[in-house]
């Protein structure tokens, strides 16, 4: 059974991430999309909310061979624990490339039995990042073109909470 882990911050998950996930799910027997709990980036959404939003999206998309998990520590340790021989990463611009190559080669050096598969984003999702989505949403911009419905609703609720707190 070919199992792949798709790790990331997913803070929050975007249509760019989901496009990569959908394509990966057609290539592997099972894909585990895994939310990294503690990395150097300060996260905006709690891990449990990030996981929940991905779960809803997967249900809506009908992806039957995809599971959601979360982990901290090394990605390759998590992959080994899950029996995965592949990692999935998405590439947007050339600027992603250098960092991703370094990460992949580091992983190769530590865990030669695990390979990384890179999928290139569709041009229409090229500029989408979780950071841009958070910024646009906080400035009152509609982000439904960039994120799934569940995330639009979540960000709206979050904003309402914030507005109440400001009064
Ligand atoms: P990380 O903090 O690990 O980079 P992200 O959630 O930002 O986590 O991204 C997870 C993965 O998804 C990375 O491989 C990233 O390059 C990829 N990715 C992010 N945004 C997009 C997008 N719009 N299209 C395709 N891949 C993307």
């Amino acid at each position: 059974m070919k199992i792949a882990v798709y790790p990331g911050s997913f803070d929050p998950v975007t249509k760019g991430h989901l496009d990569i996930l959908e394509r990966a799910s057609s290539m592997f027997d099972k894909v585990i999309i895994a939310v990294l709990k503690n990395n150097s980036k300060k996260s905006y959404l709690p891990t449990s909310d990030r996981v929940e939003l991905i779960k809803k999206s997967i249900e809506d998309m009908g992806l039957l061979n995809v599971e959601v998990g979360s982990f901290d520590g090394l990605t390759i340790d998590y992959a080994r624990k899950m029996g995965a021989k592949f990692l999935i990463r998405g590439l947007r611009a050339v600027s992603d490339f250098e960092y991703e190559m370094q990460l992949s080669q580091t992983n190769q050096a530590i865990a030669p039995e695990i390979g990384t598969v890179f999928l290139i984003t569709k041009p229409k999702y090229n500029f989408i990042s979780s950071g841009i989505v958070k910024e646009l949403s906080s400035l009152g911009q509609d982000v439904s073109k960039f994120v799934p419905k569940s995330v639009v609703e979540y960000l709206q609720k979050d904003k309402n909470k914030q507005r109440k707190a400001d009064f």
Side-chain angles (χ1 to χ4, degrees):
M1 183 149 159
K2 280 204 168 89
I3 304 174
V5 165
Y6 178 27
S9 312
F10 308 110
D11 185 32
V13 69
T14 68
K15 287 188 180 176
H17 292 133
L18 293 175
D19 170 52
I20 300 287
L21 181 67
E22 188 167 33
R23 283 192 278 150
S25 85
S26 70
M27 297 165 60
F28 293 93
D29 297 311
K30 182 160 105 179
V31 176
I32 302 162
I33 175 168
V35 175
L36 180 55
K37 285 185 202 165
N38 296 322
N39 63 0
S40 48
K41 289 187 192 171
K42 199 182 166 321
S43 60
Y44 168 68
L45 271 66
T47 308
S48 56
D49 290 0
R50 286 184 270 157
V51 166
E52 210 42 51
L53 290 170
I54 296 172
K55 263 191 196 150
K56 278 191 199 144
S57 307
I58 291 170
E59 268 169 36
D60 291 346
M61 291 163 80
L63 297 178
L64 300 177
N65 62 341
V66 175
E67 287 174 14
V68 193
S70 62
F71 70 104
D72 48 22
L74 285 177
T75 305
I76 47 161
D77 285 341
Y78 179 74
R80 278 178 175 148
K81 200 174 88 188
M82 303 315 279
K85 290 271 187 288
F86 304 91
L87 300 177
I88 307 288
R89 294 290 284 176
L91 288 178
R92 282 163 295 184
V94 179
S95 51
D96 279 342
F97 182 78
E98 210 166 325
Y99 169 71
E100 292 292 342
M101 189 173 77
Q102 198 181 17
L103 196 64
S104 162
Q105 288 176 337
T106 308
N107 286 337
Q108 258 174 48
I110 311 173
E113 81 282 12
I114 297 176
T116 307
V117 174
F118 293 102
L119 295 173
I120 293 186
T121 188
K122 285 186 184 148
K124 65 175 175 176
Y125 298 134
N126 216 27
F127 60 93
I128 303 178
S129 71
S130 302
I132 284 185
V133 165
K134 282 177 281 193
E135 186 156 355
L136 288 176
S137 171
S138 72
L139 295 171
Q141 181 65 42
D142 172 27
V143 289
S144 51
K145 272 194 201 143
F146 314 134
V147 290
K149 207 174 80 212
S150 53
V151 174
V152 175
E153 287 166 4
Y154 180 94
L155 292 173
Q156 188 56 49
K157 257 190 237 154
D158 209 48
K159 241 184 323 187
N160 292 344
K161 235 191 282 167
Q162 190 60 44
R163 220 174 283 143
K164 268 189 206 147
D166 287 344
F167 273 112

